[in-house]
Amino acid sequence: MDNRINEIRRLIRALRVSMLEAEAIMRDQINRDESCAFVAQEIMKMRSVMSLLVEERTALGDTDPILVNSFFIPRRPSAEKSVARPVKRVLVGRI
């Protein structure tokens, strides 16, 4: 039974990574105003498989979280924090 739980956990990890990759591809297609219907259908299939795997895993009594080290790509680059320099004030005298 432990072997089946480990197999399910491995499949879930792989499926999560595949879903993240597919979502990144879909985002790129949307940004280029291309059709993303095929990729969206594939993501829906992956979600249905994921749902079945999670149900089976829960039925076997595994409740530990599954962590995935993914290649998360932020949507926009982080803003660089500028170092604020004090403004030098110069008094202008009257002539």
Side-chain angles (χ1 to χ4, degrees):
M1 181 141 74
D2 287 334
N3 289 335
R4 181 63 187 152
I5 291 173
N6 289 335
E7 178 69 18
I8 291 172
R9 290 172 70 84
R10 187 185 62 78
L11 288 172
I12 288 174
R13 274 190 217 102
L15 198 55
R16 280 184 175 173
V17 171
S18 296
M19 288 172 71
L20 288 172
E21 290 172 353
E23 288 170 2
I25 291 169
M26 190 168 70
R27 241 181 263 113
D28 288 340
Q29 289 176 338
I30 290 170
N31 289 337
R32 292 189 304 255
D33 286 334
E34 296 177 354
S35 173
C36 61
F38 177 76
V39 179
Q41 288 174 350
E42 293 300 313
I43 290 174
M44 294 303 290
K45 289 178 189 176
M46 287 186 246
R47 287 184 180 184
S48 64
V49 171
M50 176 78 76
S51 176
L52 294 173
L53 288 172
V54 168
E55 286 178 9
E56 184 178 354
R57 177 179 159 247
T58 306
L60 292 173
D62 185 24
T63 57
D64 295 334
I66 300 173
L67 303 177
V68 176
N69 295 331
S70 66
F71 68 98
F72 178 72
I73 301 171
R75 291 187 177 185
R76 61 182 113 148
S78 59
E80 295 180 15
K81 295 182 180 178
S82 62
V83 178
R85 297 181 184 176
V87 178
K88 294 183 180 179
R89 298 180 185 213
V90 179
L91 295 176
V92 179
R94 295 184 187 182
I95 301 177

